[in-house]
Each structure stands twice: as structure tokens, then as C-alpha cells.
Amino acid sequence: GESVGLHLPTLSVQEGDNSIINCAYSNSASDYFIWYKQESGKGPQFIIDIRSNMDKRQGQRVTVLLNKTVKHLSLQIAATQPGDSAVYFCAESYGQNFVFGPGTRLSVLP
Amino acid sequence: DGGITQSPKYLFRKEGQNVTLSCEQNLNHDAMYWYRQDPGQGLRLIYYSQIVNDFQKGDIAEGYSVSREKKESFPLTVTSAQKNPTAFYLCASSLGGLAGGSTDTQYFGPGTRLTVL
């Protein structure tokens, strides 16, 4: 498999529990944020996005929270399943620039 | 079946060789991007193109070259000048173009793993 994700912070959760993955972004001018999921050996997959004029957005089993005061983004996954095991990373966008975080590895325990 | 394809999935290069990585999209996106991914690091931008026949250097363009002769295609050449080319290479596209703004989601291909022997 790919070595992507080596040395990343790891979050281990029990199957069925909720997961919360955090991301601190760098630029207060960023106005668009995306969460991606990347499984081993594959390209990143879009999960959910949020614009800076919102502080919460919900998808299917996922919720993204944005706290602009402390430049913090979180991804909540409800009822975590084995198929959710992957590296999750956030991206912030300002102007034409995208900046990607290194990611967090989510490990789902049976 | 719309999407972004990259080929090959795995590529091996000998020292001193140039290699070209393919990226094709049929999403009718104007903007295309090449990133490099190394263990424990965020994606780093190599080159991007907002429109056909135009491309710009990203943060780590040295040792790489691109072309954008067709809207659908954005091949990346890793030249012998790139001192540490072993990495996972990701191509992305977005609706973008010159009128594109910061709300253009980037969609990624499956990646090419390049290893220098």
C-alpha cells in the first residue's frame, strides 16, 4: 500500500461511535473549506465543504463545523463504520490558492 | 462515466530519465492541477493550468514541466533535474478557469506512484 499517511496523527474509534477530526487552518482570509477522505493507494475523495459565511453544514452522516474566531475546522462522522478508515485532511482556499493539511488517520476498531 | 483518470498507477524510473505522467478529465473543467504527496505532509502544488495553452508554476515546480494543449489533458513530465522524484503524484481539476473563484472544489484522480530505482 501507499506510504501516504505515515507519521500522521491517528484517531482510533470503536465501530458505531462518533468520530471528530480536527483541523487548524492558517489564513484568516480563507473563505472556503473542504474535507477530503483518502484511502490507501487512492486519490482524495471530496466529502463535504463549507463557506466562511456558515458555521455548520451537514451531509449524510457527516457534519463540518467552522469556528473562524480560532481558525478551526472539524469533521464529525456519525456511527463510524469500518469503511470510514482512511486519512482525512482539510483544505482551505483563499483567492486562487488551496492549502492542504497533512491529515489525520482514522482507524475504526471492531 | 465522468471523472479524472491518471496513468500509469505505478511507474519506475531510472536515474537520469525523464518520465511523463498522464492526466485526463472528461468533466469539462477548465482548471487542472498537479500535486505531489509525501508521507506526513500536505499536498504541494507543482503546476496548475486555468485554461488551455496556459499554465503557471506552483510552489515546487523545479524539475517538472507540463503542457496543456487540450482541455481534457494535462500531462506532467518529471525530468532528470528533479532530485527527489519518488512520491505519489495527484492530478486534480476544478470548474475554475480564469473566471473561477475560491469556491471551486478540486476533484482528484487516483494518483500515480513514481519510484526512482
Side-chain angles (χ1 to χ4, degrees):
Chain A
E2 294 298 331
S3 60
V4 166
L6 205 63
H7 310 306
L8 292 177
T10 298
L11 173 67
S12 297
V13 298
Q14 210 70 39
E15 182 178 352
D17 287 352
N18 296 336
S19 304
I20 300 176
I21 301 170
N22 296 304
C23 176
Y25 64 93
S26 59
N27 194 326
S28 56
S30 293
D31 57 3
Y32 179 55
F33 306 87
I34 306 173
W35 278 102
Y36 288 95
K37 171 186 180 183
Q38 187 175 22
E39 297 176 84
S40 183
K42 297 183 179 179
Q45 177 186 0
F46 172 89
I47 302 174
I48 192 168
D49 59 0
I50 188 168
R51 295 189 174 92
S52 59
N53 60 351
M54 305 169 69
D55 53 23
K56 180 179 180 179
R57 191 165 187 221
Q58 289 185 288
Q60 188 178 15
R61 272 201 317 119
V62 295
T63 300
V64 55
L65 299 177
L66 175 63
N67 185 331
K68 294 182 288 293
T69 303
V70 294
K71 293 189 288 186
H72 184 266
L73 196 66
S74 69
L75 177 71
Q76 300 179 2
I77 304 174
T80 311
Q81 301 168 1
D84 295 327
S85 292
V87 172
Y88 291 81
F89 59 89
C90 65
E92 60 179 301
S93 174
Y94 49 95
Q96 298 285 344
N97 301 301
F98 266 86
V99 177
F100 297 86
T104 297
R105 176 177 297 283
L106 176 64
S107 178
V108 181
L109 307 172
Chain B
D1 187 23
I4 305 173
T5 58
Q6 291 184 242
S7 62
K9 185 172 175 62
Y10 298 99
L11 185 58
F12 298 91
R13 192 193 92 170
K14 293 182 180 178
E15 295 276 356
Q17 276 184 336
N18 293 353
V19 290
T20 298
L21 284 58
S22 168
C23 178
E24 305 276 333
Q25 54 95 5
N26 60 5
L27 300 168
N28 200 33
H29 284 172
D30 281 314
M32 297 185 74
Y33 311 81
W34 274 105
Y35 292 94
R36 172 183 171 134
Q37 188 173 39
D38 293 284
Q41 297 187 35
L43 301 180
R44 291 186 291 167
L45 182 64
I46 304 172
Y47 267 97
Y48 66 99
S49 168
Q50 293 178 300
I51 202 165
V52 175
N53 292 322
D54 183 66
F55 49 83
Q56 306 294 330
K57 291 182 179 180
D59 300 321
I60 55 164
E62 186 175 351
Y64 301 98
S65 66
V66 293
S67 63
R68 187 85 188 276
E69 296 176 3
K70 297 186 298 182
K71 187 176 185 177
E72 306 80 29
S73 179
F74 191 40
L76 173 74
T77 296
V78 184
T79 75
S80 57
Q82 170 50 236
K83 299 305 179 190
N84 185 24
T86 294
F88 191 50
Y89 289 87
L90 287 162
C91 179
S93 72
S94 68
L95 196 59
L98 295 175
S102 62
T103 55
D104 286 336
T105 305
Q106 293 189 19
Y107 296 94
F108 288 86
T112 292
R113 176 72 181 171
L114 173 63
T115 303
V116 174
L117 303 174

